[in-house]
Amino acid sequence: ERLRTFYKDRYDARRNVLDWDYTMELVPNASIVHKIHFRTWRMSGNAFELRDSAYNAPNRTIASMAAGRQNGRSVLKRGFWGDVANSPFASVGVECDDERLMAQKNGQHVKTACDVAYYN
């Protein structure tokens, strides 16, 4: 439901939208983020997977309330409102002090944003 609300009329073309956002917006600024990781985050909201865990329950520790209207009444909706529009890669997975994690070979990063996030 939150993805449908975020994409609105573009919901059916969300894979194309995320490809556009990745290529035109993210790569020029943070090329270390891998396309597969970006797609997984954008489609499911899960940016960093730990081990072989099953993610079948929501993380309620980062939830907040937002005011809105439903059926003409004022209501408070609980949720995390920034996960699709503002990726977690920018805060923990783009830069680090260790040069080995930022190394490139043939124009491609050797490590990914997930490795950088684990390091940070």
Side-chain angles (χ1 to χ4, degrees):
E1 182 180 330
R2 65 183 172 79
L3 290 175
R4 193 170 290 276
T5 302
F6 176 73
Y7 288 115
K8 297 179 182 160
D9 294 337
R10 304 178 307 163
Y11 181 77
D12 292 333
R14 65 188 180 277
R15 290 184 77 87
N16 296 335
V17 171
L18 74 89
D19 184 46
W20 172 267
D21 289 343
Y22 176 79
T23 305
M24 302 306 277
E25 302 290 335
L26 188 64
V27 170
N29 299 315
S31 61
I32 195 166
V33 178
H34 196 276
K35 185 175 184 173
I36 292 173
H37 296 145
F38 182 77
R39 183 179 56 215
T40 302
W41 164 72
R42 198 71 179 264
M43 296 299 282
S44 69
N46 188 10
F48 304 109
E49 291 186 0
L50 298 174
R51 300 174 293 279
D52 290 330
S53 301
Y55 296 97
N56 51 12
N59 182 359
R60 299 190 192 281
T61 61
I62 55 177
S64 62
M65 301 297 277
R69 300 200 49 89
Q70 184 175 11
N71 298 331
R73 300 179 318 158
S74 294
V75 295
L76 288 175
K77 290 277 195 170
R78 181 180 174 158
F80 181 59
W81 310 108
D83 61 340
V84 177
N86 306 312
S87 78
F89 298 114
S91 61
V92 295
V94 176
E95 296 178 347
C96 73
D97 297 333
D98 192 351
E99 292 296 324
R100 294 175 296 168
L101 292 173
M102 303 304 289
Q104 292 185 5
K105 302 254 176 153
N106 295 327
Q108 295 287 323
H109 286 277
V110 177
K111 302 291 184 181
T112 66
C114 293
D115 298 320
V116 174
Y118 295 145
Y119 174 81
N120 287 335

